[in-house]
Amino acid sequence: MQQNEGLRGWRLFAAVGMLTVSPIVVAAQRAATQHEMHGRHVDPTAYIASLEDPKRDAYQKPHEVVEALQIEEGEVGADIGAGSGYFTLRLAHHVGPTGRVYAVDVSPDMILHLNRRVHDAGVRNVVSLLVPPDDPLLPDASVDRVFVCNVWHHVDEQAAYLEISCGG
């Protein structure tokens, strides 16, 4: 893993950009209306069930998404809006034991559930972060990639958030 700080932010932006325009993500967002998704946030148990519904694999195509990222072992990533850990655990597998994934979420219920999943799976390379909506609380220049899926529309000041996430 090359530690070129000058390029790090661009690599992060490229990873986020690829996912925000990906047909896979567009298809995923059509699976439920915005109103339906926001309604699920009220009931954490129902929301977690919808995030972990096996049918999600058909439209989200998590294996294809993670493979397309060409993640290298030892990289450090941030899963922004990690939710129940649907992508977090997959990313953790790909970065391997020498890598790390920051699982970032604003919901205490999601972080609690994710921590249980990580513990039960015996995964040791995930660090969960309960964060405010406007700051991912990532250590400066700490990540090689930022992963965003189905949450970008919740970020009010997207440019500022990206700048914070990518280390300015």
Side-chain angles (χ1 to χ4, degrees):
M1 175 174 61
Q2 188 178 24
Q3 296 295 323
N4 184 332
E5 297 302 319
L7 296 178
R8 181 170 268 191
W10 286 105
R11 186 170 184 192
L12 294 169
F13 182 75
V16 172
M18 181 186 87
L19 289 173
T20 58
V21 297
S22 165
I24 294 168
V25 174
V26 171
Q29 291 181 352
R30 280 192 297 237
T33 67
Q34 294 290 356
H35 180 70
E36 290 168 333
M37 288 304 290
H38 287 284
R40 293 176 188 162
H41 290 249
V42 176
D43 178 358
T45 304
Y47 188 50
I48 289 168
S50 71
L51 291 174
E52 295 181 358
D53 186 336
K55 292 184 242 170
R56 182 176 178 190
D57 289 354
Y59 66 83
Q60 195 82 74
K61 302 189 184 311
H63 179 74
E64 292 175 33
V65 169
V66 174
E67 287 294 319
L69 292 172
Q70 298 179 347
I71 296 169
E72 297 176 23
E73 188 161 330
E75 287 187 341
V76 177
D79 183 1
I80 305 294
S84 68
Y86 181 77
F87 275 106
T88 302
L89 293 174
R90 289 169 170 90
L91 295 169
H93 171 75
H94 279 268
V95 300
T98 61
R100 183 177 320 114
V101 175
Y102 290 102
V104 179
D105 208 286
V106 300
S107 168
D109 293 313
M110 291 298 134
I111 292 295
L112 181 62
H113 178 80
L114 183 139
N115 285 342
R116 284 186 187 129
R117 281 190 72 193
V118 166
H119 178 267
D120 291 349
V123 174
R124 307 249 185 265
N125 61 349
V126 171
V127 176
S128 62
L129 298 173
L130 179 62
V131 302
D134 61 345
D135 187 344
L137 299 179
L138 295 168
D140 289 343
S142 62
V143 297
D144 299 301
R145 300 190 194 231
V146 171
F147 182 82
V148 177
C149 182
N150 297 342
V151 298
W152 197 237
H153 62 280
H154 291 290
V155 177
D156 290 331
E157 300 293 330
Q158 293 174 343
Y161 194 89
L162 244 190
E163 191 170 316
I164 292 168
S165 300
C166 298

